[in-house]
Amino acid sequence: HLHLFNPALTGLFGLNPAQLAQRPSFREFLEALRGQRMLPEQSDFTQWRRKLTAAIERTGEEPFHEDWTLPSGQILRVTVRPHPRGALAFVFQDISGHVMLERRYRTEIELGQATLDRLREAVAVFGSSGQLLITGGIEDMIKVANEKCHPSESWSDLVDYVLTAGREPRWNALVEPYSGGRWLLRASALPDGSTMLVISASLAEHEEPEQIPLHLAPVEPEGLPRTMLETPLPAPRLVQS
């Protein structure tokens, strides 16, 4: 039976304090929540209640956790902890905002990855320390790129740009691969101190680096792996920093 509760419980579930003061059983408490549509919808409520009760009764030293998605879309995290003299303490937490924020962040990551997957150019994002946020590091990329291109100081200049604080917003350079043609290197400083590098191929002789647009198509610069680290590697994946 219910022994103690606080005002936040009645506010969260819209229950009558006088009803709770009558010390309802756990089963009666669940029925009251069901009447308020503050329980997850179940095809077999009785079976769900039995499983929940059994799981809670097995709570030992470790707390019991379960997330409830309510018909309204609200998400509650239910935590049950052992209490002195064989009692159980229930904590109900509204985590709707946190879950929605997490879902929105994952959606933005997936959107960013979908955009990268359709870029014709090879793309990489480096942290302020030079660590490639996909895998490996800028030194690995330079090693592979040097093996595919004629010697150029542009690669060491790129390293300096990535590792330098207070740099210019953009940096451009041209390199010549052994396979012919030219590659345009374009680096941009991002707000968090990281750097985005875009490498595009087939630069026309009369075009300046600043005039070359990005093109959408599932094609990579000839001879350059999309991750620019080794051959072959999967397409770059965004990760959380």
Side-chain angles (χ1 to χ4, degrees):
H1 289 266
L2 181 64
H3 283 262
L4 296 172
F5 65 93
N6 65 354
L9 182 74
T10 60
L12 178 62
F13 292 115
L15 298 174
N16 187 339
Q19 182 182 5
L20 297 179
Q22 295 177 7
R23 301 177 59 183
S25 66
F26 181 61
R27 177 173 179 172
E28 293 169 336
F29 177 71
L30 289 180
E31 290 291 349
L33 295 185
R34 187 185 184 191
Q36 294 293 107
R37 294 180 58 81
M38 294 298 290
L39 289 179
E41 291 185 327
Q42 303 293 330
S43 56
D44 189 338
F45 175 77
T46 301
Q47 182 67 15
W48 175 82
R49 184 186 61 204
R50 289 173 180 170
K51 289 182 178 180
L52 176 65
T53 303
I56 291 174
E57 289 176 348
R58 289 194 299 269
T59 300
E61 296 181 359
E62 294 296 325
F64 167 84
H65 297 282
E66 186 170 273
D67 292 345
W68 291 354
T69 301
L70 308 184
S72 63
Q74 188 177 10
I75 302 174
L76 301 181
R77 174 156 295 169
V78 182
T79 303
V80 184
R81 298 187 178 95
H83 205 262
R85 298 183 182 180
L88 295 173
F90 285 73
V91 178
F92 299 93
Q93 181 184 7
D94 187 348
I95 61 171
S96 306
H98 174 76
V99 172
M100 293 300 107
L101 182 62
E102 190 176 70
R103 288 176 180 173
R104 185 163 59 250
Y105 180 75
R106 283 201 301 265
T107 299
E108 291 175 355
I109 290 293
E110 292 170 357
L111 177 60
Q113 184 58 53
T115 302
L116 283 179
D117 287 343
R118 289 191 57 80
L119 282 176
R120 176 179 179 177
E121 291 81 358
V123 178
V125 178
F126 298 94
S128 57
S129 64
Q131 183 73 13
L132 188 58
L133 299 183
I134 301 165
T135 181
I138 189 170
E139 293 82 3
D140 302 312
M141 189 212 75
I142 298 303
K143 179 180 178 181
V144 173
N146 275 327
E147 294 174 354
K148 296 180 177 294
C149 294
H150 293 284
S152 172
E153 295 182 358
S154 296
W155 298 112
S156 58
D157 292 342
L158 172 61
V159 174
D160 292 339
Y161 181 80
V162 170
L163 300 179
T164 300
R167 64 256 172 101
E168 294 295 323
R170 293 177 179 81
W171 175 91
N172 298 311
L174 294 172
V175 294
E176 297 181 353
Y178 290 120
S179 59
R182 293 190 295 175
W183 288 345
L184 170 63
L185 313 181
R186 286 181 293 179
S188 300
L190 300 180
D192 63 353
S194 57
T195 303
M196 182 177 70
L197 172 66
V198 178
I199 302 181
S200 53
S202 302
L203 180 65
E205 294 293 334
H206 65 279
E207 292 177 308
E208 295 297 327
E210 292 79 3
Q211 298 173 342
I212 307 303
L214 291 177
H215 302 280
L216 292 178
V219 179
E220 294 84 27
E222 182 181 355
L224 182 67
R226 190 153 191 162
T227 57
M228 297 163 286
L229 297 180
E230 61 185 20
T231 306
L233 280 179
R237 296 287 161 186
L238 295 177
V239 298
Q240 288 182 258
S241 56

